[in-house]
Amino acid sequence: MSRPVVQFWYEFASTYSYPAAMRIEDLAERRGVELRWRPFLLGPIFAEAGWTTSPFNLLPVKGAYMWRDLERICASSGLPFTRPDPFPQNGLKAARIATALAPEQVPLFSRAVYLAEFGEGWRIDDEKMLATLITRAGANAEEILTLSAGNEAKARLRASVEEAKALGIFGAPSVTCADGELFWGNDRLEQAMDHALATHIPQ
Amino acid sequence: MSRPVVQFWYEFASTYSYPAAMRIEDLAERRGVELRWRPFLLGPIFAEAGWTTSPFNLLPVKGAYMWRDLERICASSGLPFTRPDPFPQNGLKAARIATALAPEQVPLFSRAVYLAEFGEGWRIDDEKMLATLITRAGANAEEILTLSAGNEAKARLRASVEEAKALGIFGAPSVTCADGELFWGNDRLEQAMDHALATHIPQ
């Protein structure tokens, strides 16, 4: 019998995507939901709103709260936390790599990027560091770096951004269900699974 | 033995303040936490960020999501929901009234305003409607309307806005604990109670 499928939309620079990426696979597995990892970019979506940086930088008092909130979430889930500098990090290369990897390598690579970035405070635009993380995900670093810089990976990532826009996505992490229902934020992962299960027609 | 005290900061125009206001008193009671209802205004805080309306209007795609999310929250908590027009409503008069009421009348009045606004879709800047809600809260409408238009109520509300700013508040609903810890959003009420209890020194 088929299982419901949800799409997990994440951006490598996004703070709340970190705890979400670290827990969503276990959650989906427990609930019997199939997960598609969908790396995308928020930059082009923010640009349409006239924003040139993270909204957390545009409203510093909100940014200060977000860092404290993230620190609390990490503490309560046993995740390491280090605030990366600069923020936001440039996640373009990591997103292209995630687009070029085989599906089963994507979660491993993505979690490794988040742990490096928000667990250890490392920069995630460095190719040497990214090569290490690709290797840890079980892929050939040289091959994937070449693929990720190619036109196909670029076009696929652009298509993902367009798809995210069409789905009404404006932030990360987001989860979308087969019927188009959108859930935004690490706080909504459980509800997204509930919705996917409640609306699923087994085939 | 003393109980921990939390401050519940809410703005009458704020959408997520509605479900929070409807459930926080029960929650605090169950957890043994003392609640102070703190009506305030987001307008002066948003103005400092250069915003002239709700951020949900400034980013329409985020606004569309918020309405759907609020509808889902109301459905799952058995709350009536009607989208008010215009949005945001002008909550200044209601906030001044809440400032002028006796402490025990504030929760009754505040919940009645939210139910009228987001449950029934009524305007909340109409004095006749507000007079009805004051009466339902057990107060003398004529007396409270006069008090709420006076300099003392205005000054107290302004002082609340300044206190909110000083606490780092940038949105509603928010809860602050005795040690200054800030929790933002209807999703964080439980954590705020947990924090207040964990850091409380009984006297």
Side-chain angles (χ1 to χ4, degrees):
Chain A
M1 208 161 74
S2 68
R3 297 188 301 168
V5 178
V6 301
Q7 316 274 328
F8 172 54
W9 297 88
Y10 59 104
E11 141 81 56
F12 282 108
S14 148
T15 50
Y16 289 106
S17 292
Y18 166 42
M22 300 308 288
R23 73 191 189 89
I24 195 167
E25 202 162 57
D26 277 355
L27 175 66
E29 183 60 35
R30 279 200 311 275
R31 303 297 308 274
V33 170
E34 214 174 304
L35 199 58
R36 301 261 190 284
W37 289 67
R38 303 297 308 269
F40 78 117
L41 302 173
L42 274 175
I45 295 174
F46 285 169
E48 288 188 5
W51 299 344
T52 52
T53 179
S54 162
F56 293 124
N57 287 347
L58 295 172
L59 196 56
V61 68
K62 189 171 180 172
Y65 174 79
M66 177 276 289
W67 290 114
R68 178 68 186 129
D69 191 45
L70 186 66
E71 194 180 12
R72 291 190 303 228
I73 292 169
C74 291
S76 74
S77 9
L79 290 173
F81 171 68
T82 307
R83 184 172 165 169
D85 181 26
F87 175 80
Q89 290 282 304
N90 186 337
L92 178 61
K93 278 183 194 168
R96 284 181 179 159
I97 290 166
T99 304
L101 285 168
E104 69 276 14
Q105 298 162 339
V106 176
L108 297 170
F109 172 76
S110 301
R111 284 192 295 261
V113 172
Y114 282 120
L115 278 171
E117 181 183 19
F118 295 112
E120 309 291 336
W122 295 344
R123 293 184 69 115
I124 58 159
D125 57 355
D126 180 71
E127 285 217 357
K128 219 168 144 184
M129 135 82 80
L130 289 167
T132 310
L133 302 180
I134 295 168
T135 310
R136 273 195 219 160
N140 180 305
E142 204 180 331
E143 188 188 319
I144 292 296
L145 282 174
T146 306
L147 271 178
S148 74
N151 286 335
E152 201 187 313
K154 289 179 185 176
R156 281 187 59 199
L157 184 57
R158 268 198 301 269
S160 286
V161 173
E162 288 310 313
E163 190 182 340
K165 273 189 209 169
L167 287 164
I169 290 174
F170 56 90
S174 289
V175 175
T176 53
C177 300
D179 63 354
E181 193 79 12
L182 168 64
F183 295 86
W184 173 49
N186 179 48
D187 294 324
R188 292 283 179 280
L189 303 188
E190 284 78 5
Q191 279 171 254
M193 303 293 160
D194 290 344
H195 183 85
L197 286 160
T199 54
H200 180 57
I201 302 159
Q203 294 187 333
Chain B
M1 207 160 76
S2 67
R3 296 189 302 168
V5 178
V6 302
Q7 315 275 326
F8 172 54
W9 298 88
Y10 59 104
E11 142 81 58
F12 282 108
S14 148
T15 51
Y16 289 105
S17 292
Y18 166 42
M22 299 308 287
R23 73 190 189 90
I24 195 167
E25 201 162 58
D26 277 356
L27 174 67
E29 182 62 34
R30 279 200 312 274
R31 302 296 309 273
V33 170
E34 213 174 304
L35 199 58
R36 302 261 191 281
W37 289 66
R38 304 296 308 269
F40 79 117
L41 303 173
L42 275 174
I45 294 173
F46 285 169
E48 287 187 4
W51 300 344
T52 53
T53 179
S54 162
F56 293 123
N57 288 345
L58 295 173
L59 196 57
V61 68
K62 189 171 180 171
Y65 174 80
M66 178 276 291
W67 290 114
R68 178 70 184 127
D69 190 46
L70 186 66
E71 195 180 11
R72 290 191 302 229
I73 292 169
C74 290
S76 73
S77 9
L79 290 174
F81 171 69
T82 307
R83 185 172 163 169
D85 181 28
F87 175 81
Q89 290 281 304
N90 186 337
L92 178 62
K93 278 182 194 170
R96 283 181 179 161
I97 290 166
T99 304
L101 286 167
E104 68 276 14
Q105 298 162 337
V106 176
L108 296 170
F109 173 76
S110 300
R111 285 191 295 261
V113 172
Y114 283 119
L115 278 171
E117 180 183 18
F118 295 111
E120 308 292 336
W122 295 345
R123 292 185 68 114
I124 57 160
D125 58 354
D126 179 71
E127 285 218 357
K128 221 169 142 181
M129 134 84 78
L130 290 166
T132 310
L133 302 180
I134 295 168
T135 309
R136 273 195 219 159
N140 181 305
E142 204 180 332
E143 189 189 319
I144 292 297
L145 283 174
T146 307
L147 272 177
S148 74
N151 287 334
E152 203 187 312
K154 289 179 185 176
R156 281 188 58 200
L157 184 56
R158 268 198 302 270
S160 288
V161 173
E162 289 309 313
E163 190 181 341
K165 274 189 211 169
L167 286 162
I169 291 174
F170 57 90
S174 289
V175 175
T176 53
C177 300
D179 63 354
E181 193 79 12
L182 167 64
F183 295 86
W184 173 49
N186 179 48
D187 294 325
R188 292 283 180 279
L189 303 188
E190 284 78 4
Q191 279 170 256
M193 303 294 160
D194 290 344
H195 183 85
L197 286 160
T199 54
H200 180 56
I201 301 160
Q203 294 189 331

